[in-house]
Amino acid sequence: MKKTYFGLAAALLLGFSACDTARQTQDAENQTPVVTTTSSGPTPAGAVMSKNGLRVYAFDDSQQYPESAIRLNTPPAGGVVDAGPVEFNYSLSNYQLTRMTPHSNAEHMANSQEGQHIHNIVDNEPYTAHYETTFTKDMTEGDHIILSFLSRSYHESLKHKGAYDLRMVTVGRPAERMTFDMKAPHMFYSRPKGEYVGKDTEKIMLDFYLVNTDLSTTGNKVRATINGTEFMLDRWLPYIIEGLPMGETTIKLELLDNNGTVLPGPYNTVERKITLKEA
């Protein structure tokens, strides 16, 4: 009798164990798998603004270089140089020119294959990119405002104190002199620039440089008008533009006070054109 009882108990225990194993296996098969998502571009910092088929959003996930600094040695601030080829010479610290900026953002935007560089802007004209600390540049007679700043390989500017140099230089002996308040709020245009082809047309970076000011919801702002569609930018960050059509695009930037009035300054309103092409 005892043998029959123990045999029956063992059979039941084995059956329960088999059923439990089968149930665990079935449960595991029915569980929703965990999906690891990968970034398809810069991570939006804040809201994504969508209008008329365009998407505009800020991002702040690029590698930072808080100790990096730049200084223009020549031409000297307030100095006088001859018209023609002018030598520019910089001192850099904690920043390596020609290095590819090590971040996934470089995979999603137009990226210079020559690496990190200096943006040199004269009178808010389109910048020239330089991969060495010494070069020459033709300068015409007159007073000129020169902004220089450090740039990642995908042309995003470094925006901390020390990452830029702003000065006025006189070339030749101009009959008329420029009045420029070095302490006033100024905005300089950087990107986008030129022509974009193929994959580079999907995410176009908008980047500008501010001096003596910042942006906020209750302070100064930048109004970006892209092919007639306005976007109000209240953070000094780089922005991504998506949805631009092939062909020519017009971008207008204005530095505004909190009342929506353009701040005085020679460069606080600027308009540029870029071109997008199929591969």
Side-chain angles (χ1 to χ4, degrees), residues 42-56:
T43 302
V48 176
M49 296 172 281
S50 297
K51 291 183 185 179
N52 299 331
L54 299 177
R55 284 165 40 94
V56 175

Side-chain angles (χ1 to χ4, degrees), residues 3-269:
K3 289 182 179 181
T4 302
Y5 173 78
F6 284 123
L8 180 59
L12 289 171
L13 183 62
L14 183 62
F16 287 142
S17 176
C19 289
D20 187 59
T21 301
R23 184 171 61 253
Q24 291 178 19
T25 301
Q26 185 67 31
D27 289 345
E29 291 175 352
N30 290 337
Q31 285 179 351
T32 302
V34 176
V35 179
T36 302
T37 58
T38 56
S39 174
S40 60
T43 302
V48 176
M49 296 172 281
S50 297
K51 291 183 185 179
N52 299 331
L54 299 177
R55 284 165 40 94
V56 175
Y57 56 88
F59 67 96
D60 62 358
D61 56 346
S62 292
Q63 180 168 334
Q64 301 299 306
Y65 299 88
E67 303 302 320
S68 298
I70 184 174
R71 177 172 176 76
L72 180 57
N73 300 317
T74 57
V80 179
V81 297
D82 292 332
V86 174
E87 181 178 271
F88 286 77
N89 175 266
Y90 295 87
S91 292
L92 271 59
S93 58
N94 301 307
Y95 200 71
Q96 182 181 339
L97 299 181
T98 73
R99 179 179 186 242
M100 299 304 293
T101 306
H103 195 283
S104 61
N105 284 351
E107 303 170 7
H108 303 285
M109 291 178 278
N111 192 23
S112 172
Q113 295 308 303
E114 296 180 74
Q116 298 177 161
H117 50 280
I118 298 167
H119 280 204
N120 176 286
I121 298 175
V122 177
D123 301 330
N124 207 30
E125 291 297 313
Y127 72 81
T128 53
H130 300 276
Y131 301 85
E132 297 179 352
T133 54
T134 301
F135 56 86
T136 60
K137 193 169 184 177
D138 284 334
M139 302 281 289
T140 59
E141 187 171 80
D143 291 321
H144 297 284
I145 303 302
I146 300 169
L147 173 69
S148 310
F149 57 82
L150 298 172
S151 170
R152 296 171 176 85
S153 61
Y154 44 93
H155 309 288
E156 180 194 343
S157 61
L158 273 62
K159 299 175 175 62
H160 62 269
K161 185 177 181 179
Y164 78 95
D165 183 292
L166 179 67
R167 62 185 60 194
M168 176 188 284
V169 172
T170 300
V171 179
R173 293 172 175 79
E176 296 185 10
R177 303 304 303 271
M178 173 189 290
T179 299
F180 185 85
D181 186 353
M182 286 285 181
K183 297 182 179 180
H186 297 289
M187 176 184 66
F188 295 82
Y189 185 103
S190 181
R191 300 283 291 187
K193 173 178 180 277
E195 187 175 279
Y196 295 78
V197 180
K199 188 174 182 296
D200 288 346
T201 64
E202 296 174 5
K203 298 181 187 299
I204 303 292
M205 185 182 68
L206 171 66
D207 201 20
F208 47 86
Y209 217 89
L210 299 178
V211 177
N212 303 322
T213 188
D214 204 345
L215 307 181
S216 71
T217 56
T218 58
N220 294 343
K221 300 173 182 63
V222 168
R223 179 165 58 205
T225 306
I226 305 170
N227 289 337
T229 300
E230 293 184 2
F231 297 89
M232 202 64 73
L233 314 180
D234 59 17
R235 302 175 71 185
W236 186 25
L237 290 172
Y239 289 78
I240 290 294
I241 308 171
E242 297 178 347
L244 288 175
M246 293 297 109
E248 189 175 82
T249 278
T250 300
I251 296 175
K252 182 179 180 181
L253 300 182
E254 299 164 284
L255 180 61
L256 312 177
D257 64 18
N258 195 40
N259 296 317
T261 303
V262 177
L263 288 165
Y267 312 129
N268 291 339
T269 296

